[in-house]
Coordinates of all heavy atoms in Angstrom, one line a residue:
F654 N 24.6 20.4 -7.8 CA 23.4 20.9 -7.2 C 22.2 20.6 -8.1 O 22.3 20.6 -9.3 CB 23.5 22.5 -7.0 CG 24.6 22.9 -6.1 CD1 25.9 23.2 -6.6 CD2 24.3 23.1 -4.8 CE1 26.9 23.6 -5.8 CE2 25.3 23.5 -3.9 CZ 26.6 23.8 -4.4
V655 N 21.1 20.3 -7.4 CA 19.8 20.2 -8.1 C 18.8 21.1 -7.4 O 18.6 21.0 -6.2 CB 19.3 18.7 -8.0 CG1 17.9 18.6 -8.6 CG2 20.3 17.8 -8.6
N656 N 18.3 22.1 -8.1 CA 17.4 23.1 -7.6 C 18.0 23.7 -6.3 O 17.3 23.8 -5.3 CB 16.0 22.5 -7.3 CG 15.2 22.2 -8.5 OD1 15.7 22.4 -9.7 ND2 14.0 21.7 -8.4
D657 N 19.2 24.1 -6.4 CA 20.0 24.8 -5.4 C 20.3 24.0 -4.2 O 20.8 24.5 -3.2 CB 19.2 26.1 -4.9 CG 19.2 27.2 -6.0 OD1 20.2 27.3 -6.7 OD2 18.2 27.9 -6.1
Q658 N 20.0 22.7 -4.2 CA 20.4 21.8 -3.1 C 21.6 20.9 -3.5 O 21.6 20.3 -4.5 CB 19.1 20.9 -2.8 CG 17.9 21.7 -2.3 CD 16.8 20.8 -2.0 OE1 16.9 20.0 -1.1 NE2 15.6 21.0 -2.6
K659 N 22.5 20.9 -2.6 CA 23.7 20.1 -2.9 C 23.5 18.6 -2.8 O 22.7 18.1 -2.0 CB 24.8 20.4 -1.8 CG 26.2 19.9 -2.2 CD 27.3 20.4 -1.2 CE 28.6 19.9 -1.6 NZ 29.7 20.4 -0.8
V660 N 24.1 17.9 -3.8 CA 23.9 16.4 -3.8 C 25.2 15.7 -3.8 O 26.3 16.2 -4.2 CB 23.2 16.0 -5.2 CG1 21.8 16.6 -5.2 CG2 24.0 16.4 -6.4
S661 N 25.2 14.5 -3.2 CA 26.5 13.8 -3.0 C 26.3 12.3 -3.6 O 27.3 11.6 -3.7 CB 26.9 13.7 -1.6 OG 25.9 13.1 -0.8
K662 N 25.1 11.9 -3.9 CA 24.9 10.6 -4.4 C 23.7 10.6 -5.3 O 22.8 11.5 -5.3 CB 24.7 9.6 -3.3 CG 23.6 9.9 -2.3 CD 23.5 8.8 -1.2 CE 22.4 9.1 -0.2 NZ 22.5 10.3 0.6
P663 N 23.6 9.6 -6.2 CA 22.5 9.6 -7.2 C 21.1 9.7 -6.6 O 20.2 10.3 -7.1 CB 22.6 8.2 -7.9 CG 24.1 8.0 -7.8 CD 24.5 8.5 -6.5
Q664 N 20.9 9.0 -5.4 CA 19.6 9.1 -4.8 C 19.2 10.5 -4.4 O 18.0 10.8 -4.4 CB 19.5 8.1 -3.6 CG 18.1 7.9 -3.0 CD 17.2 7.3 -4.1 OE1 17.6 6.3 -4.8 NE2 16.0 7.8 -4.2
D665 N 20.2 11.3 -4.0 CA 19.9 12.7 -3.7 C 19.3 13.4 -4.9 O 18.3 14.2 -4.8 CB 21.2 13.5 -3.3 CG 21.7 13.0 -2.0 OD1 21.0 12.3 -1.2 OD2 22.9 13.2 -1.7
V666 N 19.8 13.2 -6.1 CA 19.3 13.8 -7.3 C 17.9 13.3 -7.6 O 17.0 14.2 -7.9 CB 20.2 13.4 -8.5 CG1 19.6 13.9 -9.8 CG2 21.6 13.8 -8.3
I667 N 17.6 12.0 -7.4 CA 16.3 11.5 -7.6 C 15.3 12.1 -6.7 O 14.2 12.6 -7.0 CB 16.3 10.0 -7.5 CG1 17.2 9.3 -8.5 CG2 14.9 9.4 -7.7 CD1 16.9 9.6 -9.9
D668 N 15.6 12.1 -5.4 CA 14.7 12.6 -4.3 C 14.3 14.1 -4.5 O 13.2 14.5 -4.4 CB 15.4 12.4 -2.9 CG 15.5 11.0 -2.6 OD1 14.8 10.1 -3.2 OD2 16.3 10.6 -1.6
I669 N 15.3 14.9 -4.9 CA 15.1 16.3 -5.0 C 14.2 16.6 -6.3 O 13.3 17.4 -6.3 CB 16.4 17.1 -5.1 CG1 17.1 17.0 -3.8 CG2 16.1 18.6 -5.4 CD1 18.5 17.6 -3.8
A670 N 14.5 15.8 -7.3 CA 13.8 16.0 -8.6 C 12.3 15.6 -8.4 O 11.4 16.2 -9.0 CB 14.4 15.1 -9.7
K671 N 12.1 14.5 -7.6 CA 10.7 14.1 -7.4 C 9.8 15.2 -6.7 O 8.6 15.3 -6.9 CB 10.7 12.9 -6.5 CG 11.2 11.6 -7.2 CD 11.2 10.4 -6.1 CE 11.7 9.2 -6.8 NZ 11.8 8.1 -5.8
K672 N 10.5 16.0 -5.8 CA 9.8 17.0 -5.1 C 9.5 18.3 -5.9 O 8.7 19.1 -5.5 CB 10.5 17.3 -3.8 CG 10.6 16.1 -2.8 CD 11.4 16.5 -1.6 CE 11.6 15.3 -0.7 NZ 12.4 15.6 0.5
A673 N 10.3 18.4 -7.0 CA 10.1 19.6 -7.8 C 8.7 19.7 -8.4 O 8.2 18.7 -8.9 CB 11.2 19.6 -8.9
R674 N 8.2 20.9 -8.4 CA 6.8 21.0 -8.9 C 6.8 21.2 -10.5 O 6.0 20.6 -11.1 CB 6.1 22.2 -8.3 CG 5.6 22.0 -6.9 CD 4.6 23.0 -6.5 NE 3.9 22.7 -5.3 CZ 2.9 23.4 -4.8 NH1 2.5 24.5 -5.4 NH2 2.3 23.1 -3.7
R675 N 7.8 22.0 -11.0 CA 7.7 22.3 -12.4 C 9.1 22.1 -13.1 O 9.2 21.2 -13.9 CB 7.2 23.7 -12.6 CG 5.8 23.9 -12.1 CD 5.3 25.3 -12.4 NE 5.2 25.6 -13.9 CZ 4.9 26.8 -14.4 NH1 4.7 27.8 -13.6 NH2 4.9 26.9 -15.7
T676 N 10.1 22.8 -12.6 CA 11.4 22.9 -13.3 C 12.5 22.2 -12.5 O 12.5 22.4 -11.3 CB 11.8 24.3 -13.7 OG1 10.7 24.9 -14.4 CG2 13.1 24.3 -14.5
I677 N 13.3 21.5 -13.2 CA 14.5 20.9 -12.5 C 15.8 21.5 -13.1 O 16.0 21.5 -14.3 CB 14.5 19.3 -12.7 CG1 13.3 18.7 -12.2 CG2 15.8 18.7 -12.2 CD1 13.1 17.2 -12.5
V678 N 16.5 22.2 -12.2 CA 17.7 22.9 -12.6 C 19.0 22.1 -12.1 O 19.1 21.8 -10.9 CB 17.8 24.3 -12.0 CG1 19.0 25.0 -12.5 CG2 16.5 25.1 -12.5
I679 N 19.8 21.7 -13.0 CA 21.0 20.9 -12.7 C 22.3 21.8 -12.8 O 22.5 22.4 -13.9 CB 21.2 19.7 -13.6 CG1 19.9 18.9 -13.6 CG2 22.4 18.9 -13.2 CD1 19.5 18.2 -12.3
E680 N 23.1 21.9 -11.8 CA 24.3 22.7 -11.8 C 25.5 21.8 -11.5 O 25.4 20.8 -10.7 CB 24.3 23.8 -10.8 CG 23.2 24.8 -11.0 CD 23.2 25.9 -9.8 OE1 24.1 26.7 -9.8 OE2 22.3 25.8 -9.0
G681 N 26.6 22.0 -12.1 CA 27.8 21.2 -11.9 C 29.0 21.6 -12.8 O 29.1 22.7 -13.1
V682 N 29.8 20.6 -13.1 CA 31.0 20.8 -13.8 C 31.0 19.8 -15.0 O 30.7 18.6 -14.9 CB 32.2 20.4 -12.9 CG1 33.5 20.7 -13.7 CG2 32.2 21.3 -11.7
T683 N 31.3 20.4 -16.2 CA 31.3 19.6 -17.4 C 32.6 18.7 -17.5 O 33.5 18.8 -16.6 CB 31.4 20.5 -18.7 OG1 32.6 21.2 -18.7 CG2 30.2 21.5 -18.6
A684 N 32.6 17.8 -18.4 CA 33.8 16.9 -18.6 C 35.1 17.6 -18.8 O 36.2 17.1 -18.5 CB 33.5 15.9 -19.7
T685 N 35.0 18.8 -19.3 CA 36.2 19.6 -19.6 C 36.6 20.5 -18.5 O 37.5 21.3 -18.6 CB 36.0 20.4 -20.9 OG1 34.9 21.3 -20.7 CG2 35.8 19.5 -22.1
G686 N 35.8 20.4 -17.4 CA 36.2 21.2 -16.2 C 35.5 22.6 -16.1 O 35.9 23.3 -15.1

Side-chain angles (χ1 to χ4, degrees):
F654 296 89
V655 178
N656 286 2
D657 290 327
Q658 299 181 59
K659 191 171 182 177
V660 297
S661 59
K662 56 184 183 294
Q664 193 59 47
D665 293 341
V666 177
I667 301 299
D668 291 343
I669 297 171
K671 287 177 183 176
K672 296 176 182 178
R674 281 196 170 186
R675 297 182 63 185
T676 304
I677 298 172
V678 181
I679 308 293
E680 300 175 72
V682 180
T683 67
T685 58

